[in-house]
Amino acid sequence: MGNLIKVLTRDIDNNAGNFFLDFENAQPSQSETEVWEKVNQVLMEAKVILDDLQTYKGAGEEIRQAIQNPNVEGVQEKAWAAVVPLVAKLKTFYEFSQKLESSLHCLLDILTSTDSTPTQHLEQKQALARQFAHILHFTLRFDELKMTNPAIQNDFSYYRRTISRMRINNVSSDSGSEVNNELANRMSLFYASATPMLKTLSDATSKFVSDNPEVPIENTTVCLSTMACVCKVMLETPEYRSRFASEETVLFCLRVMVGVIILYDHVHPAGAFVKTSNIDMKGCIKVLKEQPPSSVEGLLNALRYTTKHLNDETTSKQIKNMLQAN
């Protein structure tokens, strides 16, 4: 991800407090190690998941042939043989979303605990803040890839139709039986979302807040808004941005910024777009719009379609206009 990223945030917690957030090289202290190692295992798997999704080609041609030749047994068998291993991959992706949810809970437990302010937590537990950023980066990247790959839903729909037909005809599905009906229903709901991983994290963050009434909601929202501010300052300040050795670093920060905005919008009762929001939404959108359109269109769409409060009356016309699709 290039040179050491350090960012000086401005006026966080309204006290002009300066602190550096090292997104690249932060190492866990002794008190962080147990959680860090647990989350790190999930992040290692995340790389494999992204590689598998990136190379996911689908069984479009085999399915087309099977639909066009419904009575040719060999063609049907070929399509089924192509789809079953793909559905096993889709099952792995879905199950990974639950591991990600669990990791998010572990990190939020610590980063929002009441023994320090959220800003102090981010400053003092930088290795965990870095892991939180990597979870968000993975989430946005996964959803960008999923959104541009219609084969995923086509393959799964064909699989479900074929399984139903087999049940009606009392035909054994053999290798296809690893996805039972209940799991298939949950997977259908997951993949029906335009941004399934982001929806998982948004729901998980909202659940974390409702399940932990002893933790003030502000602990979670300030943690999220502080991270959004860190990313925005990093991206808009030439002396920080000039340290980025690659375009990937810019994309990393953009994805993390958009991820925390969406989580904030789901958790904060008034959302991210009101004037009183702790997030400078106009500034964040401006930073996004200054990037090459091809690299941020998916992120702008995530703000347009997966936030909760964008279309509220309390959102200014200027922000709505800034986010209008061209």
Side-chain angles (χ1 to χ4, degrees):
M1 254 176 35
N3 297 333
L4 176 71
I5 303 168
K6 284 186 175 179
V7 65
L8 177 65
T9 64
R10 302 165 182 164
D11 193 28
I12 289 184
D13 284 356
N14 302 315
N15 65 1
N18 295 345
F19 83 93
F20 289 94
L21 186 54
D22 178 357
F23 266 166
E24 184 169 56
N25 294 316
Q27 295 303 311
S29 62
Q30 207 170 348
S31 65
E32 296 169 272
T33 302
E34 190 183 338
V35 170
W36 187 90
E37 284 178 348
K38 196 173 165 187
V39 175
N40 193 51
Q41 285 186 314
V42 175
L43 287 172
M44 298 288 280
E45 192 181 339
K47 291 176 184 167
V48 179
I49 295 283
L50 281 184
D51 286 344
D52 280 353
L53 181 55
Q54 211 150 6
T55 55
Y56 188 101
K57 293 285 184 275
E61 184 52 38
E62 289 89 342
I63 291 170
R64 260 192 303 278
Q65 290 297 329
I67 291 167
Q68 285 167 9
N69 301 282
N71 301 316
V72 181
E73 195 59 39
V75 176
Q76 300 302 314
E77 284 170 5
K78 191 179 174 190
W80 182 243
V83 164
V84 167
L86 292 171
V87 168
K89 273 190 184 181
L90 297 183
K91 180 186 174 210
T92 303
F93 298 164
Y94 168 71
E95 288 170 343
F96 182 75
S97 74
Q98 295 166 307
K99 294 180 193 175
L100 208 62
E101 183 178 336
S102 171
S103 295
L104 180 76
H105 275 211
C106 289
L107 293 174
L108 286 176
D109 260 334
I110 292 172
L111 295 174
T112 66
S113 62
T114 50
D115 55 347
S116 298
T117 69
T119 304
Q120 285 167 339
H121 279 310
L122 288 173
E123 186 176 7
Q124 291 157 12
K125 299 183 176 72
Q126 298 214 5
L128 300 185
R130 179 187 172 205
Q131 286 187 317
F132 186 29
H134 275 281
I135 284 176
L136 289 162
H137 176 259
F138 163 82
T139 297
L140 272 292
R141 185 68 187 125
F142 181 97
D143 287 348
E144 283 168 9
L145 290 168
K146 183 263 175 186
M147 219 184 269
T148 54
N149 195 340
I152 288 172
Q153 274 178 281
N154 293 342
D155 292 348
F156 196 61
S157 296
Y158 177 80
Y159 174 84
R160 295 208 74 183
R161 287 197 308 272
T162 307
I163 285 278
S164 297
R165 210 163 48 240
M166 286 174 168
R167 281 202 195 99
I168 291 164
N169 298 329
N170 287 323
V171 176
S172 166
S173 58
D174 297 329
S175 56
S177 59
E178 64 180 280
V179 177
N180 64 32
N181 210 33
E182 189 210 341
L183 177 58
N185 287 336
R186 281 188 277 129
M187 285 172 65
S188 278
L189 280 173
F190 177 75
Y191 287 112
S193 168
T195 51
M197 285 291 176
L198 205 46
K199 185 177 188 313
T200 299
L201 284 203
S202 298
D203 291 349
T205 309
S206 300
K207 187 174 186 299
F208 173 82
V209 169
S210 60
D211 286 354
N212 295 278
E214 74 286 358
V215 177
I217 189 171
E218 293 76 28
N219 287 26
T220 305
T221 55
V222 172
C223 171
L224 297 171
S225 60
T226 301
M227 285 193 75
C229 177
V230 167
C231 293
K232 178 176 128 341
V233 172
M234 208 173 348
L235 289 159
E236 70 186 2
T237 310
E239 65 255 39
Y240 300 132
R241 189 146 174 177
S242 65
R243 300 182 195 179
F244 296 170
S246 79
E247 197 55 33
E248 264 308 301
T249 307
V250 176
L251 279 173
F252 179 89
C253 299
L254 290 165
R255 288 189 188 115
V256 173
M257 181 179 78
V258 168
V260 284
I261 288 169
I262 292 166
L263 296 189
Y264 180 99
D265 194 54
H266 279 262
V267 172
H268 194 288
F273 298 97
V274 287
K275 276 189 179 142
T276 53
S277 166
N278 287 339
I279 298 177
D280 170 16
M281 282 307 304
K282 287 176 190 167
C284 290
I285 297 166
K286 184 170 173 284
V287 166
L288 279 166
K289 293 214 147 187
E290 284 166 355
Q291 315 309 316
S294 60
S295 64
V296 294
E297 194 53 37
L299 297 177
L300 287 166
N301 281 337
L303 287 178
R304 287 171 189 134
Y305 306 123
T306 61
T307 45
K308 193 175 177 183
H309 295 279
L310 174 61
N311 295 315
D312 289 4
E313 286 178 16
T314 49
T315 303
S316 74
K317 277 193 176 141
Q318 190 184 354
I319 287 177
K320 285 180 180 174
N321 288 339
M322 285 176 87
L323 276 177
Q324 267 190 336
N326 296 331

